Amino acid sequence: MKLIAIVGTNSQKSTNRQLLQYMQKHFANQAEIEVVEIKDLPMFNKPESKILPENVLALAQKIDEADGVIIGAPEYDHAIPAVLMNALAWLSYGIFPLLNKPVMITGASYGTLGSSRAQAQLRIILNSPELKASVMPGSEFLLAHSLQAFDGEGNLIDLETVEKLEALFTDFRLYVKMTAKLTSAQKLLHKEAENFDWENL
């Protein structure tokens, strides 16, 4: 199984990136996880030519070729970071790599809430007509007090936290396999996404 893990921040030092890197290492015998950055994507400007930047197309191709996607979502001001919103805007502008793509959302925060509001917002965005990703239900992984959550080698310290993450990742692998079989409506959904236009509602 091949998965793409998107670091949903442009922060140079992020516990969300650290969590995805831990998953990449910890689940190496269960899936190939590639951690990808979005910090260098240009600001979305809705080009009339519909010609997308090369790094956007490269990211879209990685997602398209992957079996599923993991998104590490920090929380800023009760919302996802602007850089993540920017990436999703590009990934829904005339291209549809996330259409019906299984997605697992994770989040780490310095406080007690573990990016819960950002994760809720991200679910709504991923369900929008232009994206139509298939987010695994009931799969919130909220890593609270993330500055104290890792040891010097980047491993999660708390055993119960590790067990919860392992259980959710096992469910996600099953969800990816199940979603791969749900193809009956995929062409219709793709057509709807192509034809959707907020300006002509």
Side-chain angles (χ1 to χ4, degrees), residues 13-178:
K13 194 172 183 180
S14 168
T15 52
N16 282 277
R17 181 182 293 107
Q18 198 170 1
L19 175 59
L20 294 178
Q21 290 170 339
Y22 169 78
M23 294 177 69
Q24 180 184 47
K25 178 176 62 175
H26 189 71
F27 298 120
N29 63 336
Q30 300 178 45
E32 176 189 342
I33 302 175
E34 180 182 357
V35 178
V36 297
E37 302 282 348
I38 56 174
K39 58 186 178 180
D40 294 325
L41 298 182
M43 185 176 295
F44 180 69
N45 59 359
K46 200 174 182 181
E48 291 184 13
S49 65
K50 295 280 182 100
I51 298 175
L52 304 183
E54 287 298 321
N55 51 0
V56 171
L57 293 173
L59 174 60
Q61 184 174 354
K62 285 179 182 290
I63 294 171
D64 192 55
E65 294 174 352
D67 299 303
V69 175
I70 305 167
I71 300 178
E75 182 172 313
Y76 298 147
D77 300 329
H78 291 180
I80 64 172
V83 68
L84 180 53
M85 186 68 249
N86 182 64
L88 294 173
W90 279 120
L91 293 171
S92 61
Y93 190 62
I95 54 175
F96 310 97
L98 285 166
L99 181 71
N100 206 42
K101 187 70 65 173
V103 176
M104 175 181 180
I105 300 174
T106 66
S109 74
Y110 298 165
T112 59
L113 295 177
S115 78
S116 59
R117 294 182 179 91
Q119 289 199 29
Q121 183 196 38
L122 182 55
R123 285 177 178 273
I124 294 172
I125 295 170
L126 289 170
N127 195 42
S128 66
E130 303 94 328
L131 286 166
K132 283 293 183 186
S134 184
V135 184
M136 183 170 76
S139 61
E140 279 188 335
F141 181 75
L142 309 171
L143 183 63
H145 304 294
S146 57
L147 285 176
Q148 295 81 39
F150 299 93
D151 63 20
E153 296 180 352
N155 297 312
L156 286 172
I157 297 170
D158 183 68
L159 181 59
E160 288 187 10
T161 301
V162 173
E163 289 176 346
K164 181 180 180 181
L165 181 60
E166 288 175 343
L168 285 172
F169 190 73
T170 296
D171 286 349
F172 183 60
R173 288 172 58 232
L174 291 172
Y175 185 70
V176 168
K177 294 175 182 177
M178 290 168 55

